[in-house]
Amino acid sequence: MGTKLIIDTDPGVDDAFAIALAALSEDVDLLGVTTVFGNVPLSATTRNALRLLALCGRGDVPVAAGAERPLVYPHPHRGTYAHGADGLSGRAEVLPQPGRELEPVDAVSLLVSLLEAAEEPVTIAPIGPLTNIALLLAAHPGIREKIDRLVIMGGGLDHGNTTAAAEFNIWSDPEAARRVLVEEHVPCVLVPMDLTHRCAVDADWLAKLAASGSVGAALNGLTPDYVEYYKKALGFAGIAMHDAVAVAEAIRPGILRTEELPVEVECSFGPSRGATVVDRRRPALRAKMNQDAPAVAVAVDTDLDGLRGFVLDRIAGGQS
Ligand code: BDR
Ligand code: CA
C-alpha cells in the first residue's frame, strides 16, 4: 500500500504541515514518526508530534523520542524565534490529546525495528537535525539496504537562515549532518532552503487551507508566530513550508527536480559552521581539479504552483 515512509521530525509549524501531508495521503504507508530536539526541546517536539497525529486521526502511527541534544557540542539555541515558545505558535495545547502512548523504546530502536520488519526499502524523511539518523547509521550499518532514500530538508546553497551561512537543521548538528550526507552511502535527496523559500505560500493559500476543513483550520491556527517571523525572513507576507516540500518529494518522487552535486558540511567553529558547501562548478572542472566528491541529489527546482496545490489538495482531502 503506497510509499512506505518514516518521518524524523522536530515540530515545528512547517513540520506540522509535513506530518499532515503524509498522514492524510492515502497512497502513503506512514510506518512511524521519530522525534528529535530542534525547534523546541525534545519533550515539546514529541508532545507536538503525538498531538498532530491525533489531529489527523492517525493514532495508529507509533511515535518514539530520540536525541535530546546534538552528537558532540551543545545546541546553541532553539528555533522559538520562528515557531513560538512551544513550537506551534503557543497553540500546541489547542490540539487534541495524543491518541496513543509514546513507544517505550528510543527513536533509533523504533527505526531499526520498523526497517527490519519492512518487506521493501523504506523512505525516511528527516526534517529536523540529523542526529537520530547519524546515530542509526553509525550503530546499525547493515540497515542501509533497508532504506530506499533519505529525503532531507536542510542546507542552503546561497545563504543560511540561522546564520548568514547555515540553515537551521544542519547548523543544529553539523557533525551529524556530515556523517549522513558525506560519510554514509545512503541515497539522499537534499531539499535546501533556496528551493523551500521559492515554494513559499501566501495569505491567500493559508486562507484556502483554513477553509478546507477541520485539519486545515487547525493547521492554519498554528501559524501566527511563524507568519510574523516570515514577514521579516521573506520580505513579503508568506510562509516557507520547508518540511512539507521535502515530504512532498518523499511521497511523490520526482515532484522536485534534482541535480547530482557534491556536498560538504562545514564543521569548523568559524562563521560558516553548519554551512552546506555544494559544488556547482561544471563536472569537467571538478574532475580536472581532482575534487569530485560523492554526490547528493540536491533539489533545485519544481513547478512552484503545482507543488503548492499538491500540498493543499492532500491536506484538504483531495488525492491529486
Ligand atoms: C528548517 O528549520 C526548522 O526551523 C524548520 O522546521 C525546518 O525543518 C528550516 O530551516
Ligand atoms: Ca523541522
Side-chain angles (χ1 to χ4, degrees):
M1 174 196 126
T3 307
K4 294 198 179 303
L5 178 70
I6 303 171
I7 298 180
D8 185 69
T9 178
D10 64 333
V13 176
D14 59 323
D15 301 75
F17 284 42
I19 290 169
L21 172 60
L24 298 171
S25 285
E26 288 166 6
D27 55 358
V28 173
D29 186 2
L30 185 59
L31 301 177
V33 169
T34 52
T35 59
V36 63
F37 76 92
N39 288 316
V40 281
L42 181 69
S43 56
T45 62
T46 303
R47 172 205 58 203
N48 293 350
L50 284 161
R51 284 181 171 239
L52 288 161
L53 287 166
L55 172 72
C56 297
R58 294 302 306 269
D60 58 306
V61 177
V63 178
E68 59 186 9
R69 52 160 292 175
L71 288 182
V72 185
Y73 297 101
H75 195 215
H77 62 78
R78 310 292 179 187
T80 51
Y81 52 84
H83 299 267
D86 66 355
L88 297 175
S89 296
R91 304 292 301 278
E93 297 300 327
V94 176
L95 293 172
Q97 289 291 336
R100 67 186 287 147
E101 296 286 319
L102 187 63
E103 293 299 293
V105 297
D106 62 275
V108 171
S109 301
L110 180 64
L111 284 161
V112 170
S113 61
L114 292 173
L115 291 167
E116 280 180 343
E119 283 162 15
E120 57 197 76
V122 173
T123 301
I124 303 178
I127 54 176
L130 284 160
T131 319
N132 289 340
I133 307 303
L135 288 166
L136 169 73
L137 295 170
H140 301 272
I143 210 77
R144 279 191 205 95
E145 64 196 39
K146 303 302 296 264
I147 300 173
D148 185 32
R149 307 189 293 165
L150 298 174
V151 184
I152 298 166
M153 192 282 131
L157 277 58
D158 288 333
H159 59 88
N161 52 10
T162 301
T163 70
E167 179 279 331
F168 181 81
N169 289 341
I170 307 297
W171 170 88
S172 292
D173 194 345
E175 284 75 22
R178 188 173 189 286
R179 176 75 189 238
V180 174
L181 287 165
V182 184
E183 295 295 330
E184 297 288 345
H185 296 280
V186 181
C188 285
V189 178
L190 185 68
V191 183
M193 57 172 283
D194 313 68
L195 181 57
T196 60
H197 272 200
R198 288 176 56 217
C199 296
V201 294
D202 60 13
D204 185 45
W205 188 96
L206 286 170
K208 286 187 188 136
L209 176 74
S212 69
S214 56
V215 175
L219 289 173
N220 182 58
L222 303 177
T223 61
D225 289 5
Y226 200 65
V227 166
E228 277 310 304
Y229 169 79
Y230 272 100
K231 274 185 200 155
K232 300 186 196 80
L234 293 172
F236 60 88
I239 63 164
M241 49 172 186
H242 306 280
D243 295 339
V245 179
V247 166
E249 168 62 29
I251 68 179
R252 176 66 66 84
I255 198 168
L256 308 183
R257 186 171 73 74
T258 61
E259 285 178 16
E260 296 287 322
L261 295 167
V263 174
E264 250 298 354
V265 178
E266 177 59 75
C267 292
S268 74
F269 288 89
S272 300
R273 179 167 170 78
T276 43
V277 181
V278 178
D279 194 344
R280 286 177 285 173
R281 295 175 295 173
R282 289 174 65 83
L285 181 59
R286 293 200 301 259
K288 186 164 178 57
M289 312 293 272
N290 214 9
Q291 291 168 343
D292 226 349
V296 166
V298 179
V300 292
D301 202 6
T302 190
D303 168 359
L304 301 177
D305 281 335
L307 187 285
R308 296 179 186 114
F310 177 76
V311 175
L312 185 59
D313 284 354
R314 289 289 176 114
I315 295 176
Q319 297 296 315
S320 62

